[in-house]
Amino acid sequence: MPLRAKVASSVSRTAAALSRAAGRGDGSVIGGWIGLKIDPDLLAHLASGRAIALVSGTNGKTTTTRLTAAAVGVLGQVATNSFGANMPTGHTSALAKAGSTPYAVLEVDEHYLAQVLEATEPRVVALLNLSRDQLDRAKEVAMMAQLWRAALVRHPSVRVVANADDPMVVWAATPPATRSPQLAPMAVTWFSAGQRWHDDSWVCPECGAPIERMADQWWCTGCWLRRPEPQWVVEDDGVVDPAGDWHKVVLQLPGRVNLGNAATALAVAAEFGVRPTDAVSRLGGVASVAGRYAQVVKDGRTIRLLLAKNPASWLEAFDMAEEAPTLLSINARDPDGLDTSWLFDVDFAPLRGRQVLITGDRAYDLAVRLDVNGVPFQHVRTFTEAITGVPPGRLEVIANYTAFQDIRAELDRVN
Amino acid sequence: MSTEPAYRMPGQGGGESSLRIVWIYPDLLSTYGDRGNMLILERRARLRGMPVECIEVRSDQRLPVSADIYLLGGGEDGPQALGAQRLIADGGLRRAAEQGSVVFAVCAGYQLLGGSFFAKGTKCAGLDLLDLHSDRGPSRAVGELAGAIDPRLGLPPLSGFENHGGRTHLGPGVSALARVSTGIGNDGSTEGAWRGKLLGTYSHGPALARNPALADLLLRWATGWQQLPPLDDTWADRLRAERSAALAAVRQ
Ligand SMILES: [Zn+2]
C-alpha cells in the first residue's frame, strides 16, 4: 500500500473511532469520508489483494450481504459493511476497519455499483432486483438497469450471480447482442428468489413490447428476453444447488423472502469455492440485521421489527409478518422520500382480519389508503400507546426507514 | 400486486347500467401510485350504491370508447412518449372525449392531453384535447403543491404533491384548475387545466386521495347528478388539515 494510502487508512480508522466516541453514529460513514478526502484511490488500495463480492439491488441487499458474509466466513476472515453504509465512503470505512482480510462482502447502493466495480475489481457481483424506490429522487428503474448493464460490459471477467425472476436484472446481466468482439461473454449464475412485485417490469427494457407471465415463467412478446433457467432454486424449506442437491435451510429470519436471500448467499459463496453443505449452518446463526427482524419483549408483548422501504418490500413484509396484531408506521422525512404516493402501489389487503394499528408522521396518508383498501385500523399517537393497545403476545411492527429508526430508538435497542 | 389482478379485462362484470372507469395504459403510465385514483373513484361510487366496472387497458390493447371516466397517470419520459403515440394511433380517447366522457389526467398524462410536450429532449405530439403545450422548466418541481381551485368548480383548495420537469403553458381554450400558493404547477402561478369534462393536474399519483371533493366532481360529471350523498371523509379531512398545517409551518 503506498504511503499516502496508509496514512489515509489510519486517519480513516482514527476518525471513525473519534466519531463513535463523540456519539455521532457508528462511525461507518464519517471515517470513510475523511479517508477518501486524503486519498481518492483509498478504496482501490484497500480492496486490492482481497477476493470481493458485491451485493446490489433495490431490496434485500443488507440481509443478503450479511448471509453471504456468514457463508464466505467458512473460508476465513471476511470484511463487510454490516451497518448498511453502502456507498464508497462506507466501503472504505469497512475495509479500513477490518484490516487485512482475504475476503470482503460489500453491500452496494444500486446507484454506485459502476463506481464500486471500478474501484474494487470484485470477483463476484450479485444482482438481486430493481424496483421503484424513493420516487422523488431515485433514478428510473429502466435507467438503473441500463447503468448496471453498461458497467458490467466494462468488466467482462466478473462473475455475475443474478435473479432470473426479475426481467430488469436479467436484461442488465445479459450483454448486448451486438457487443464488440474483444469482449468475452459474461459468466452468469442464475438464481430464483421469486418476485412478488411486477409493476416495474410490464414493458421489455430491450424492445418495449409487453412482458407476459405465467406461473414462475416470464417472457417478452417482442424479442429474445425471457427467464433463464436458474441453477439455484428455493424448494420447500431449502435450496437446490446446481448439482440438483437439496439443502435444508433453517433461518432465524422470517419469510420466504429470506429463504431467497439465503439461496443467493449460497450461490455467491459457491463462486468462492464454498460448498453449500458447509455454509448452511452458518446462515442459521444470523439473528437480526441492523436491527431488522429483531425481537424485543416488552410488557408481555413480543415485538418484532420489519423494515419496509418501498412497495416491493412492503409486499415482502406482509409475507414475513405472522397473523398477529400489526403496527404500521410511516414517515416522509428526507431519507424516506417526501412523497407518500407509493402507498397506493401497495395492496394492504393481506392485513384484513388482523388488528391493525397505524402511527408515524404520515399516519393520515396511510389512514386514507387503508380506508380505500377496506382494511379497518386504529390510529395511535405513540409506540407506547400501540403496545398497550394490543393483547399480550406477538406484535408485528412494519415501518419505513426513519419510522423504523424512531421505534428502534424508543425500544432503546442497538444492533 | 399480490392479490388484486394486475389487469382486469374489458367485458368482465358490469354492463350497460354500471359506471365504467377505464385506466389507460397502467403498463406505461403508473409510476406514482396512480392506481389510487381508480380505486378511490370506484369506492366512492360504490358507497353511493352505483355499480362500477373498472377496466385496465394495456398499451397493446384497443381503448373502449363507451366508458364514463378515463384515467391517465404519470410516467417516465420514454413511456410517456410511447403512450402518446399509441393513444394518437388508437384514436379512442378523442372519440370518447367528443362523446362527453370524463377524462382525468395526472402529470405525464396531463401533458400528453395538450398539443405537444418534451420527452428525453425531443418535442412530441400530444393528443391536442386541451389547448396547452408543455416544455422543460429550469429545474425539477418536486414538493407540495397547493392552491385555490377555480371558483366555478366549487371545490375546496387543491392539496397535492408534484414531481415533474415540465412547464405547461395554457392557451385561451382552457381554464387553469387552480392558482398556486405553494409549489410550481404549470408555471409557478397557475396549476392544471380544465375544459368541459376534461381535467388535468400536476398533483401527481393518487391526487384524489387528498382531494375527495375533486373525485366527487368527476363522479358528478360522469353521472350528471347535481349532488351526491355525503360520505364520511374524516381521514381525508385530517390528512388535508395536517398537510395544510405543515405548509403553514414552513411558511412561518
Ligand atoms: Zn423485448
Side-chain angles (χ1 to χ4, degrees), chain B residues 149-168:
Chain B
I149 290 184
D150 187 333
R152 287 172 293 168
L153 294 173
L155 300 177
L158 183 77
S159 169
F161 191 94
E162 63 182 334
N163 181 356
H164 55 98
R167 296 295 182 272
T168 296

Side-chain angles (χ1 to χ4, degrees), chain A residues 132 212 339 345 347 371, chain B residues 1 3 30 43 58 204 239:
Chain A
R132 59 189 67 184
E212 296 285 353
D339 185 4
D345 283 326
D347 179 11
D371 209 18
Chain B
M1 300 283 140
T3 59
S30 172
R43 179 168 172 83
R58 224 161 64 166
H204 83 177
L239 172 56

Side-chain angles (χ1 to χ4, degrees), chain B residues 20 60 66 97 108 122 136 145 176 178 222 225 232:
Chain B
R20 305 219 308 160
D60 60 341
S66 61
T122 310
R136 285 281 151 195
L145 176 62
W225 296 0
D232 177 2

Side-chain angles (χ1 to χ4, degrees), chain A residues 323 347-354 356 372-376, chain B residues 3-4:
Chain A
E323 290 273 344
D347 179 11
F348 289 85
L351 297 179
R352 280 181 203 144
R354 296 180 210 188
V356 174
V372 173
N373 222 161
V375 178
Chain B
T3 59
E4 292 170 21

Side-chain angles (χ1 to χ4, degrees), chain B:
Chain B
M1 300 283 140
S2 55
T3 59
E4 292 170 21
Y7 296 109
R8 268 168 271 181
M9 295 303 162
Q12 190 178 310
E16 284 303 301
S17 58
S18 61
L19 182 82
R20 305 219 308 160
I21 303 173
V22 167
W23 182 16
I24 301 172
Y25 301 170
D27 54 330
L28 294 177
L29 299 170
S30 172
T31 310
Y32 304 107
D34 295 280
R35 177 185 300 274
N37 289 325
M38 178 182 71
L39 297 176
I40 289 162
L41 286 171
E42 179 184 20
R43 179 168 172 83
R44 298 184 77 80
R46 281 195 203 286
L47 287 172
R48 269 77 172 241
M50 298 178 212
V52 184
E53 186 187 355
C54 286
I55 306 159
E56 303 185 18
V57 179
R58 224 161 64 166
S59 63
D60 60 341
Q61 297 170 327
R62 296 282 305 186
L63 212 59
V65 293
S66 61
D68 302 292
I69 302 180
Y70 292 82
L71 300 174
L72 273 167
E76 299 161 358
D77 278 17
Q80 181 188 19
L82 190 59
Q85 276 173 24
R86 292 187 181 171
L87 272 178
I88 291 170
D90 182 277
L93 189 60
R94 166 168 293 281
R95 259 178 293 148
E98 283 165 1
Q99 288 166 22
S101 296
V102 176
V103 181
F104 177 61
V106 165
C107 210
Y110 165 46
Q111 290 185 352
L112 60 79
L113 288 186
S116 64
F117 61 91
F118 274 78
K120 295 198 162 165
T122 310
K123 187 173 178 176
C124 305
L127 284 143
D128 213 7
L129 289 173
L130 287 177
D131 180 16
L132 53 86
H133 68 274
S134 304
D135 52 25
R136 285 281 151 195
S139 59
R140 238 186 132 67
V142 183
E144 292 287 321
L145 176 62
I149 290 184
D150 187 333
R152 287 172 293 168
L153 294 173
L155 300 177
L158 183 77
S159 169
F161 191 94
E162 63 182 334
N163 181 356
H164 55 98
R167 296 295 182 272
T168 296
H169 311 280
L170 306 185
V174 290
S175 306
L177 173 65
R179 300 242 139 242
V180 172
S181 57
T182 300
I184 304 291
N186 292 331
D187 56 3
S189 81
T190 70
E191 144 54 18
W194 70 284
R195 171 181 69 80
K197 296 181 189 174
L198 314 186
L199 193 150
T201 175
Y202 272 118
S203 173
H204 83 177
L208 304 181
R210 279 164 68 163
N211 300 281
L214 180 55
D216 284 355
L217 173 72
L218 301 177
L219 290 176
R220 282 190 278 120
W221 279 353
T223 57
W225 296 0
Q226 295 294 312
Q227 266 193 320
L228 294 169
L231 298 178
D232 177 2
D233 280 322
T234 306
W235 295 108
D237 290 345
R238 285 186 192 171
L239 172 56
R240 287 173 61 83
E242 183 265 318
R243 285 292 82 207
S244 125
L247 293 185
V250 172
R251 262 186 246 116
Q252 292 286 301

Side-chain angles (χ1 to χ4, degrees), chain A residues 376-389:
Chain A
F377 61 90
Q378 146 197 10
H379 176 232
V380 292
R381 302 260 158 210
T382 62
F383 185 55
T384 317
E385 204 184 312
I387 294 176
T388 53

